[in-house]
């Protein structure tokens, strides 16, 4: 089998998470500056077989789209153009940043490391991917 790759798209950087080859375990992989994301994905897809992109869908409390959704839609057009054979699924990502922070607290990560926004983005991508895996 091949991997599923999740993206927590942000205005500055994107958290990336992937599954194992059996698509059982979601693991944080890295954080990439959003202006480098497509070229990073191009390299990754050449090295690893990816069968699905899961992209977070940020929503406000009442279900309406958040401010970054327009930027994500623009990214999705580029993503599907560059990778026409890899489908894209969207997953509601409400509260993933809070869940990521709570996860860091529970695992004993130091205050200095908890302030690392890149780590929060990576953990958020992992939560998005785990949510997708639990839904299938």
């Amino acid at each position: 089998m091949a991997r599923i790759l999740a993206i927590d798209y942000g205005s500055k950087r994107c958290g990336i998470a992937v599954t194992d080859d059996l698509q059982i375990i979601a693991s944080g992989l890295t954080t990439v500056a959003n202006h480098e994301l497509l070229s990073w994905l191009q390299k990754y897809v050449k090295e690893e077989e990816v069968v699905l992109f899961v992209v977070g869908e940020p929503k406000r409390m009442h279900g309406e789209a958040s401010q970054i959704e327009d930027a994500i839609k623009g990214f999705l057009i580029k993503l599907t153009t560059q990778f026409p054979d890899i489908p894209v699924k969207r997953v509601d990502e409400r509260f993933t940043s809070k869940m990521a922070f709570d996860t860091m607290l529970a695992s004993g990560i130091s205050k200095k490391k908890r302030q690392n926004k890149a780590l929060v983005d990576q953990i958020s991508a992992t939560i998005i991917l785990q949510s997708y895996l639990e839904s299938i």
Side-chain angles (χ1 to χ4, degrees), residues 56-123:
E57 186 174 14
K59 294 182 179 182
R60 294 191 176 116
M61 292 295 290
H62 298 292
E64 64 266 358
S66 74
Q67 292 175 320
I68 196 163
E69 184 62 21
D70 287 340
I72 294 172
K73 285 180 180 177
F75 164 72
L76 290 173
I77 291 168
K78 293 174 188 174
L79 181 68
T80 55
T81 300
Q82 193 162 355
F83 303 99
D85 297 331
I86 303 175
V88 176
K89 297 277 185 185
R90 301 292 305 273
V91 172
D92 186 344
E93 66 169 67
R94 276 181 281 194
F95 309 114
T96 56
S97 293
K98 168 121 176 61
M99 291 168 65
F101 187 78
D102 290 347
T103 299
M104 291 191 305
L105 272 176
S107 60
I109 292 177
S110 70
K111 183 176 182 177
K112 184 172 179 153
K113 286 187 179 180
R114 288 193 310 262
Q115 293 171 340
N116 179 351
K117 302 262 189 223
L119 182 58
V120 172
D121 293 338
Q122 187 176 328
I123 294 171

Side-chain angles (χ1 to χ4, degrees), residues 48-62:
E48 299 286 343
E49 185 181 359
V50 175
V51 293
L52 177 66
F53 292 119
V54 175
V55 179
E57 186 174 14
K59 294 182 179 182
R60 294 191 176 116
M61 292 295 290
H62 298 292

Side-chain angles (χ1 to χ4, degrees), residues 12-62:
K12 295 180 182 177
R13 71 194 154 271
C14 304
I16 308 290
V18 294
T19 63
D20 59 310
D21 288 338
L22 298 176
Q23 301 175 3
I24 297 171
I25 300 169
S27 300
L29 183 62
T30 191
T31 306
V32 179
N34 70 355
H35 66 276
E36 298 173 358
L37 182 58
L38 287 171
S39 62
W40 186 91
L41 289 170
Q42 191 71 27
K43 285 184 210 172
Y44 187 82
V45 168
K46 283 182 182 177
E47 296 172 12
E48 299 286 343
E49 185 181 359
V50 175
V51 293
L52 177 66
F53 292 119
V54 175
V55 179
E57 186 174 14
K59 294 182 179 182
R60 294 191 176 116
M61 292 295 290
H62 298 292

